[in-house]
Amino acid sequence: MWSTRGRLQLTPDPAPASKTGSAGAVSISVSLPVMDLRALRCFVAVAEEGHFGRAAARLHLAQPPLSRRIRDLEADLGCRLLERMPTGARLTAAGEVLLAEARDLLARSERARERVRAVESAREVVLGTVAGAGLEAGPAVLAVLRDSHPALRVRLHEAPLTDPSGGLRGRRVDLALTRLPFDTSGLTVCQLGTESLVVALPADDPLAARPRLHIRELTGRPRFRLPAGTDAQWRAYWFAADEGTPGPVVASVEECLHAVAWDGVAGLLPAGAARRHARPGIAFVPVDGHPPSRIVLARRADAPDRLVDTVAAALIDAHAVPVPDSVS
């Protein structure tokens, strides 16, 4: 709840020098520390309703807690704000002054709240993605977010194959649609589904005409591989061969496909690559004998953020409806 870090004190203005010695008007000065805006809302409600019972009903409070807040406010200020009468309540002179100030404080707190919310809702959330993970659900997610947060922008960051965190490790993104396995220490990970794999082969390769392949049938063939220094679990999963197996080093899907077309090598890719990267000269054949790719939504565990939570929830909901593989 909003609150002011200040004690409102009602004090008389010094009386001007005069023959009559008339008393000064009531004024408000501010000193430290605390006044809770909830107490001010209670006071304004009683002042406007002229009755504790009606004010309690307006605020959806029981009357005893309301009365206690008013008494605490009077004790905090050191003066009476309301005269209790059998028929209701009436403002004292001090209460009249506080009513105007309280209305202004409450209005300013609401404006501040609205401005903060506007800034938050207009933020940009950066979503990392690796090897097309989870992108099929993108249109449904954006449709939901446009309805619920029309000022929100979601920007896509396509990370290289060498970064399975999708940009999280380098703090370039807020969320990442990526794939396991890789080192997830320091990250919060939610599995969204799985995707089968294909082997990319030259279209004139004898194995390219097969309806399916087993991973063992690729033993001894040159494979494209990720660079040394890439996350060890991630590199081993996609290479799926002995370390001594020859083949070019790649850092992107396009480099993988170039190696297939120009060097005649083979390699594993997600099944969705058959649709997203279809082109003459390259065949994509479903492969058995290797675990499917696990699609996950990841974020840094040390960075809680309500707007990022909103985008994450939309992504999780969208993936509740499975998207079929492109190749079967």
Side-chain angles (χ1 to χ4, degrees), residues 34-237:
V34 170
M35 170 170 285
D36 189 344
L37 292 184
R38 289 171 296 185
L40 289 181
R41 289 191 182 94
C42 291
F43 167 73
V44 170
V46 175
E48 291 178 347
E49 297 292 339
H51 194 278
F52 278 82
R54 290 195 295 270
R58 167 175 154 181
L59 296 169
H60 306 290
L61 284 175
Q63 189 169 330
L66 173 64
S67 298
R68 281 197 299 272
R69 284 185 177 173
I70 298 299
R71 287 196 300 270
D72 290 345
L73 181 59
E74 289 177 324
D76 187 46
L77 296 175
C79 64
R80 292 287 297 275
L81 301 171
L82 295 158
E83 292 181 7
R84 282 74 168 172
M85 301 178 297
T87 56
R90 183 173 62 193
L91 288 169
T92 64
E96 292 280 1
V97 173
L98 181 59
L99 179 60
E101 297 289 341
R103 284 171 170 161
D104 180 61
L105 279 172
L106 293 173
R108 282 190 285 140
S109 75
E110 188 57 33
R111 286 196 299 272
R113 186 195 302 270
E114 289 173 358
R115 291 179 65 185
V116 169
R117 285 174 174 168
V119 169
E120 181 72 0
S121 64
R123 269 187 46 208
E124 179 181 78
V125 173
V126 183
L127 175 65
T129 183
V130 182
L135 290 183
E136 290 82 0
V141 172
L142 290 177
V144 169
L145 293 175
R146 285 192 188 104
D147 286 341
S148 61
H149 294 74
L152 172 64
R153 293 186 63 226
V154 178
R155 179 166 61 85
L156 197 66
H157 167 78
E158 186 172 1
L161 290 180
T162 52
D163 180 12
S165 80
L168 288 169
R169 296 290 187 208
R171 296 186 175 270
R172 290 186 290 273
V173 303
D174 301 296
L175 285 166
L177 285 166
T178 183
R179 303 169 184 274
L180 295 177
F182 68 95
D183 177 14
T184 60
S185 58
L187 303 179
T188 299
V189 174
C190 173
Q191 183 165 327
L192 302 178
T194 61
E195 185 176 3
S196 58
L197 303 182
V198 294
V199 57
L201 295 161
D204 58 0
D205 189 290
L207 294 179
R210 297 274 297 279
R212 304 189 72 84
L213 293 173
H214 194 281
I215 192 71
R216 289 193 299 267
E217 296 181 82
L218 301 177
T219 301
R221 290 191 58 136
R223 309 269 189 94
F224 52 71
R225 73 182 70 208
L226 295 170
T230 304
D231 180 276
Q233 297 177 58
W234 176 258
R235 186 171 184 264
Y237 174 81

Side-chain angles (χ1 to χ4, degrees), residues 266-285:
L268 298 179
L269 290 172
R275 182 183 68 258
R276 290 190 294 270
H277 301 285
R279 65 194 62 188
I282 297 179
F284 299 91
V285 183

